[in-house]
């Protein structure tokens, strides 16, 4: 069935370091891969996304890479700041389309000053 | 531009009762999706509505149902509540220019006692 695996489940870094979160998806038909950030008690917010016709996308300190052959995609955050501390979710578009997303289990990122 | 609005924000029910949650999408957005978020299962797709029609459905029992009105507002209903239905129920809307791009509401936190 449809599945998205996300690693690691927790990540602790020092301020200024880089953080990398990796996801693997199962459905070869998936063509849209967003990343959401969820702070404690808040709603998930889209931070970056990539479509299957693009291999890499960057927005300031965050970037996403996609390897369709291996069904892997990753989130890279550079120069981390304490306000980057949150739970990050990767997702892949699901079977049947129509705005159905299959989410990974989440990565709790802690950035220590 | 107002965001996605969900009501009520918090509610407590007892086993066997039923509950109705409401979601008003961003103005101009005609697609509304519903997700269940729990610590154990993460974010799981419930269903998606567009122009009053359910276009896609996740793997939830028939106790979970929804509908959409002509003004794009959506409701979801859970009947015969079980303890395991305790969760944050998130609604997301998608506009015409962003396929799969979900904007989430703040959620309705349901506690079943």
């Amino acid at each position: 069935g449809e599945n998205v695996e996300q690693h690691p489940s927790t990540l602790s870094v020092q301020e200024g370091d880089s953080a990398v979160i990796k996801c693997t998806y199962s459905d070869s038909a998936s063509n849209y891969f967003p990343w959401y950030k969820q702070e404690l008690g808040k709603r998930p917010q889209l931070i970056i996304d990539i479509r299957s016709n693009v291999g890499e996308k960057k927005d300031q300190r965050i970037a996403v890479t996609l390897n369709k052959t291996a069904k892997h995609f990753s989130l890279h955050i550079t120069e981390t700041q304490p306000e980057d501390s949150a739970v990050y979710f990767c997702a892949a578009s699901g079977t049947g389309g129509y705005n159905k997303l299959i989410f990974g289990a989440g990565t709790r990122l802690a950035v220590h000053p | 531009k107002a965001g996605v609005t969900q009501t009520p924000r918090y509610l407590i029910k007892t086993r066997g009762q039923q509950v109705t949650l409401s979601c008003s999408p961003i103005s101009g957005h005609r697609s509304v999706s519903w997700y269940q978020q729990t610590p154990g299962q993460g974010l799981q797709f419930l269903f998606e509505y567009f122009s009053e029609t359910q276009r896609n459905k996740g793997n939830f029992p028939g106790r979970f149902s929804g509908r959409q009105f002509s003004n794009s507002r959506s409701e979801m209903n859970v009947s015969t509540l079980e303890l395991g239905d305790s969760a944050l129920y998130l609604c997301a809307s998608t506009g015409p220019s962003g396929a799969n791009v979900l904007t989430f509401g703040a959620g309705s936190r349901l506690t079943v006692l």
Side-chain angles (χ1 to χ4, degrees):
Chain A
E2 303 169 297
N3 186 47
V4 175
E5 292 189 1
Q6 183 172 348
H7 300 281
S9 57
T10 60
L11 182 57
S12 182
V13 301
Q14 290 296 126
E15 183 178 1
D17 287 351
S18 294
V20 179
I21 303 171
K22 298 183 179 183
C23 290
T24 303
Y25 61 98
S26 62
D27 188 352
S28 56
S30 294
N31 58 11
Y32 175 67
F33 308 90
W35 287 86
Y36 284 83
K37 174 183 179 182
Q38 189 175 30
E39 297 175 77
L40 192 61
K42 301 279 184 70
R43 72 194 73 190
Q45 293 206 302
L46 179 69
I47 56 171
I48 196 167
D49 58 10
I50 192 168
R51 296 193 185 269
S52 59
N53 56 347
V54 176
E56 184 173 356
K57 184 176 178 180
K58 190 173 181 180
D59 183 3
Q60 300 183 346
R61 295 186 299 108
I62 59 174
V64 57
T65 58
L66 171 65
N67 181 331
K68 282 222 77 180
T69 303
K71 298 184 191 171
H72 289 168
F73 58 114
S74 301
L75 177 72
H76 304 251
I77 306 174
T78 59
E79 299 170 27
T80 53
Q81 301 166 3
E83 50 266 39
D84 294 330
S85 297
V87 179
Y88 291 81
F89 293 95
C90 64
S93 53
T95 301
Y98 298 134
N99 304 316
K100 175 183 179 180
L101 294 178
I102 308 301
F103 283 85
T107 296
R108 185 173 300 278
L109 173 65
V111 181
H112 302 285
Chain B
K1 191 172 181 180
V4 180
T5 304
Q6 291 189 244
T7 57
R9 290 292 315 279
Y10 303 91
L11 64 168
I12 300 173
K13 295 285 187 178
T14 56
R15 280 179 297 174
Q17 289 187 310
Q18 65 101 25
V19 66
T20 299
L21 309 177
S22 178
C23 172
S24 293
I26 292 171
S27 178
H29 286 196
R30 293 166 63 189
S31 168
V32 173
S33 310
W34 288 88
Y35 289 80
Q36 182 196 64
Q37 185 173 27
T38 60
Q41 299 297 318
L43 279 150
Q44 291 188 290
F45 174 78
L46 281 155
F47 27 64
E48 190 255 2
Y49 287 88
F50 180 86
S51 291
E52 303 177 66
T53 300
Q54 185 183 91
R55 297 199 297 188
N56 209 342
K57 189 178 191 308
N59 296 322
F60 280 82
R63 300 185 298 107
F64 292 81
S65 63
R67 59 178 176 169
Q68 187 180 33
F69 302 95
S70 58
N71 62 356
S72 295
R73 189 177 71 85
S74 178
E75 289 181 346
M76 68 163 284
N77 183 277
V78 188
S79 63
T80 320
L81 284 166
E82 301 178 358
L83 296 179
D85 296 333
S86 295
L88 179 66
Y89 290 88
L90 291 160
C91 161
S93 74
T94 300
S97 60
N100 299 118
V101 180
L102 275 56
T103 301
F104 282 95
S108 293
R109 184 165 295 280
L110 170 65
T111 301
V112 182
L113 302 177

